[in-house]
Amino acid sequence: MNTSPLPDVENAPVRNNKYVDLSHYEYVPRRYYGRITATVVIVVLLAALVHAFSRGNIEWSYVGQFFTAKAILDGVVNTLVMAVLAMALGILFGVIAAIMHMSPNPVLHYVSVGYAWIFRGTPLILQLLLWFNLALVFPRITLPGVFSVETVTVMTPFFAALLGLSINQGAYTSEVVRAGLLSVDIGQYEAAKAIGMPRLQALRRIILPQAMRVIIPPVGNEFISMIKTTSLASMIQYSELLYNTQNIYYANARVMELLFVAGIWYLMVVTVLSFGQNRLEKYFSRGNRRRA
């Protein structure tokens, strides 16, 4: 009597209208030698890097000593304040520029195009320096019959950095917002128009809420980038994190230690903001079947 096990007909392959018994074959998993080699190389390089920094000429005690120094904490606060204000104004400028870009009015359209062209086409550090030295072109800011003030008293490092960062950010945000508006189905625009809703009201009540799921991820990424971009304001003497860090290591010559302090603070702030960005993306992506 034949007592051999029956083949697994559910998963067995079919050949010439007959099931083939594969039970006597041995399963050999595939070896991914490329992945194994890459993993070993990366682990070795990371171990060598950690060993080099741990044995290098770095006084780690200074990192802990200055990590919570008053000047460093003040720099962190100033960095956050500048990033939040500049991003808020940048979003406002971006939304306005995006609406102007999509306007049927040719003047509004080309002004928006020129705005994005100028401020996306020149380096941000150049724009900051231009705003900070605006007094060389306009010694006084005058509004006839209202006020007249010296430009140098207005263009402080804070105000010059705020203008430079926010206007530059608005140029990039305008393209993000425009892409979000274009992602909304044209039928939504037509439905709003059919019920007699004004254009701006339709944008505020119908179009923008639907476009937010497209706008939020890149704008959130831009905000995280803004945290690091504020370091450029150190070139015009705004006392953000990097500027205060430089002032300390100019005095004690502990350059690498203080740069590590600044780097750790940037990483901590960006990590916290990344969690907030993920929560915001999930909130605006509710009901989206394609959500990851």
Side-chain angles (χ1 to χ4, degrees), residues 90-168:
I91 293 174
L92 177 63
F93 296 153
V95 171
I96 294 174
I99 294 174
M100 291 172 60
H101 191 285
M102 300 177 67
S103 172
N105 188 319
V107 175
L108 297 179
H109 173 78
Y110 286 109
V111 167
S112 174
V113 171
Y115 165 65
W117 174 65
I118 291 174
F119 289 99
R120 291 197 305 164
T122 55
L124 176 56
I125 186 63
L126 173 64
Q127 297 172 33
L128 291 173
L129 292 172
L130 287 174
W131 285 113
F132 188 59
N133 294 285
L134 192 64
L136 299 177
V137 182
F138 304 104
R140 298 187 68 85
I141 300 176
T142 303
L143 187 60
V146 180
F147 67 87
S148 179
V149 64
E150 291 185 353
T151 305
V152 70
T153 62
V154 176
M155 283 300 166
T156 60
F158 174 83
F159 195 64
L162 181 60
L163 277 179
L165 292 172
S166 61
I167 293 177
N168 178 268

Side-chain angles (χ1 to χ4, degrees):
M1 181 177 179
N2 186 6
T3 60
S4 60
L6 296 174
D8 185 2
V9 296
E10 183 177 354
N11 299 316
V14 178
R15 187 175 302 166
N16 296 329
N17 295 324
K18 295 182 179 180
Y19 290 104
V20 180
D21 184 10
L22 301 179
S23 60
H24 61 282
Y25 288 99
E26 179 183 0
Y27 173 73
V28 180
R30 181 179 179 182
R31 267 71 172 180
Y32 296 94
Y33 297 104
R35 297 180 187 178
I36 297 174
T37 303
T39 302
V40 172
V41 171
I42 291 173
V43 170
V44 170
L45 290 177
L46 288 176
L49 186 65
V50 172
H51 181 267
F53 275 97
S54 63
R55 301 295 296 273
N57 188 21
I58 299 175
E59 294 290 341
W60 293 102
S61 60
Y62 282 92
V63 176
Q65 177 183 347
F66 288 99
F67 188 74
T68 55
K70 184 179 184 303
I72 297 296
L73 295 180
D74 289 343
V76 173
V77 172
N78 291 340
T79 294
L80 289 172
V81 169
M82 178 59 66
V84 171
L85 293 178
M87 197 67 202
L89 288 176
I91 293 174
L92 177 63
F93 296 153
V95 171
I96 294 174
I99 294 174
M100 291 172 60
H101 191 285
M102 300 177 67
S103 172
N105 188 319
V107 175
L108 297 179
H109 173 78
Y110 286 109
V111 167
S112 174
V113 171
Y115 165 65
W117 174 65
I118 291 174
F119 289 99
R120 291 197 305 164
T122 55
L124 176 56
I125 186 63
L126 173 64
Q127 297 172 33
L128 291 173
L129 292 172
L130 287 174
W131 285 113
F132 188 59
N133 294 285
L134 192 64
L136 299 177
V137 182
F138 304 104
R140 298 187 68 85
I141 300 176
T142 303
L143 187 60
V146 180
F147 67 87
S148 179
V149 64
E150 291 185 353
T151 305
V152 70
T153 62
V154 176
M155 283 300 166
T156 60
F158 174 83
F159 195 64
L162 181 60
L163 277 179
L165 292 172
S166 61
I167 293 177
N168 178 268
Q169 183 60 49
Y172 287 94
T173 305
S174 66
E175 294 301 303
V176 174
V177 174
R178 188 168 68 90
L181 296 177
L182 292 174
S183 69
V184 179
D185 188 82
I186 190 65
Q188 300 294 316
Y189 292 87
E190 295 174 349
K193 185 178 180 180
I195 62 176
M197 186 174 290
R199 178 180 174 82
L200 291 180
Q201 186 180 8
L203 286 171
R204 181 173 59 88
R205 300 288 298 274
I206 298 177
I207 308 304
L208 272 177
Q210 297 182 65
M212 290 300 289
R213 67 180 57 179
V214 176
I215 295 174
I216 286 295
V219 168
N221 189 59
E222 290 288 338
F223 179 55
I224 292 174
S225 179
M226 177 65 75
I227 296 292
K228 298 169 288 183
T229 306
T230 54
S231 61
L232 294 178
S234 62
M235 296 294 294
I236 57 174
Q237 303 173 19
Y238 176 64
S239 58
E240 46 77 51
L241 177 57
L242 183 60
Y243 181 78
N244 289 0
T245 299
Q246 290 173 326
N247 287 339
I248 296 175
Y249 72 61
Y250 286 153
N252 62 12
R254 294 293 177 179
V255 178
M256 291 301 297
E257 290 82 355
L258 268 300
L259 290 179
F260 274 114
V261 170
I264 294 171
W265 270 112
Y266 279 120
L267 285 174
M268 290 174 57
V269 172
V270 167
T271 301
V272 172
L273 292 177
S274 297
F275 284 115
Q277 178 191 357
N278 291 335
R279 296 295 297 272
L280 197 61
E281 289 181 15
K282 290 180 180 179
Y283 175 80
F284 280 102
S285 62
R286 293 176 301 174
N288 185 8
R289 296 181 179 178
R290 297 168 58 187
R291 182 179 61 186

